[in-house]
Amino acid sequence: MIEIKLSQGAKPGYGGVLPGAKVTHEIAEARGIEAGQTCVSLPAHSAFSSPVEMMEFAAKLQSFQAASCGREIAVGNRWEVLAFVQGDAGEQYPARFHGGRDGGERRHGRGARGISTMSALLRQGLVLTRNALVGTASRMRYALPARVADQRLCHVASSMALGADWVNTARGFMFALGCIQSLNCHNNHCPTGIATSDKSRQHGLDVSDKTLRVANFHRNTVKALTEVVGAAGCRHPSELTPRHIMHRVTEDIVRPADESYDLLQRGQLLHDADATHLAKEWNLAQAGSFRPAGL
């Protein structure tokens, strides 16, 4: 799946950075730059300037290849999320919600620390996006990032119960591959051979051995998740609902998620938006602009 990346929490105002030390002749040819030259991917997109234009661009990309085209966003202003779903107009395009997190570009002084992946703030973003999609009866698929480890499998299950169709993860697989978090990704000196284009260092990555380790990690992760799902009395993660999740309101009060959050019914924003808690933001959202209406 091709993803159009917007508002990544780790790179506000700067975009991505590929250090010159990692720009080989092969990469330089693909990027259209000089070998050894630092490549900065600007955060702005010149191909579109509104949610509707973004959808048209996504459709154009999808027409070029067989894979689907989605969007990766970080929740910011609530009207922006609603503008995204208004721009989709019910079309079936995958979307991926991306919560803020630490980015490698912090080593260049170009990034900013983001929200912890399963923090309370990300949970609010998850619920907001779920309401936007359900409230507009959208057919978009919804993915959420998570740092999967044993202690976070319950977070994966709770995310799916609150509306995520699937969960993406990379960090756990990086550890299975051999990452030791040496923080040398940016200087091409990765000691394990993973994040480097240096041929001599790449020998440190034994593909035949690491392939098995990554496969084992994935298999055991799925197995552990099925145990969590089974403990909830479900046969499949898709059967999880907000009532399966308990939310701590205060130190001594715990309530089911369907009582703790204002969860919209399917199509409610389309038929009776003014009666919802998102009425103000819905009226500010506009498919023809990323800016709020009236400003």
Side-chain angles (χ1 to χ4, degrees):
M1 180 172 72
I2 292 178
E3 289 183 347
I4 301 173
K5 183 175 294 188
L6 299 98
S7 60
Q8 182 169 337
K11 307 172 183 178
Y14 293 104
V17 180
L18 180 61
K22 301 180 75 172
V23 180
T24 62
H25 289 286
E26 182 181 11
I27 294 175
E29 183 179 359
R31 289 293 190 100
I33 59 177
E34 296 289 334
Q37 175 183 332
T38 296
C39 183
V40 178
S41 300
L42 298 178
H45 289 275
S46 60
F48 56 85
S49 59
S50 71
V52 169
E53 290 180 1
M54 179 179 64
M55 285 305 303
E56 293 172 348
F57 180 62
K60 183 178 181 180
L61 288 177
Q62 191 159 325
S63 69
F64 292 152
Q65 41 84 50
S68 57
C69 182
R71 271 71 35 77
E72 179 181 346
I73 68 171
V75 169
N77 295 311
R78 295 201 289 183
W79 68 75
E80 292 176 335
V81 177
L82 296 175
F84 283 129
V85 296
Q86 287 183 7
D88 282 306
E91 295 297 330
Q92 187 171 5
Y93 291 95
R96 177 177 176 228
F97 163 73
H98 185 285
R101 65 208 308 177
D102 296 349
E105 281 65 32
R106 287 191 295 114
R107 300 287 292 177
H108 295 278
R110 300 183 66 87
R113 204 177 191 95
I115 304 168
S116 175
T117 300
M118 287 308 299
S119 68
L121 288 178
L122 186 132
R123 176 61 59 81
Q124 295 299 321
L126 165 59
V127 172
L128 169 63
T129 308
R130 177 264 177 206
N131 278 337
L133 296 174
V134 173
T136 56
S138 174
R139 292 179 295 168
M140 282 196 297
R141 310 301 288 174
Y142 180 25
L144 192 81
R147 298 169 185 168
V148 175
D150 290 342
Q151 71 272 23
R152 293 192 177 270
L153 285 169
C154 287
H155 291 158
V156 175
S158 64
S159 296
M160 299 185 75
L162 285 171
D165 291 293
W166 75 88
V167 173
N168 291 326
T169 181
R171 183 162 302 196
F173 287 93
M174 287 294 291
F175 292 159
L177 194 60
C179 174
I180 58 174
Q181 291 188 302
S182 69
L183 303 181
N184 284 298
C185 306
H186 65 294
N187 60 23
N188 217 25
H189 294 163
C190 174
T192 59
I194 299 173
T196 179
S197 56
D198 186 329
K199 297 295 183 181
S200 63
R201 293 179 180 273
Q202 287 178 350
H203 288 302
L205 179 61
D206 186 336
V207 177
S208 60
D209 174 57
K210 300 304 182 181
T211 297
L212 295 176
R213 290 175 179 266
V214 171
N216 288 337
F217 175 78
H218 181 264
R219 182 175 59 255
N220 290 323
T221 297
V222 173
K223 179 182 177 181
L225 178 60
T226 59
E227 293 176 354
V228 173
V229 173
C234 300
R235 289 179 172 272
H236 190 273
S238 63
E239 297 178 6
L240 293 170
T241 66
R243 68 178 178 81
H244 289 106
I245 306 302
M246 302 302 292
H247 174 72
R248 182 172 296 281
V249 181
T250 65
E251 184 175 348
D252 59 344
I253 298 178
V254 178
R255 292 176 181 158
D258 58 345
E259 297 179 10
S260 302
Y261 299 104
D262 290 323
L263 302 178
L264 301 187
Q265 299 300 312
R266 189 163 185 81
Q268 194 171 354
L269 285 173
L270 298 177
H271 306 303
D272 193 16
D274 289 340
T276 72
H277 66 287
L278 292 176
K280 178 181 178 180
E281 288 80 4
W282 179 256
N283 292 324
L284 287 174
Q286 50 184 344
S289 174
F290 288 112
R291 295 181 179 276
L295 297 180

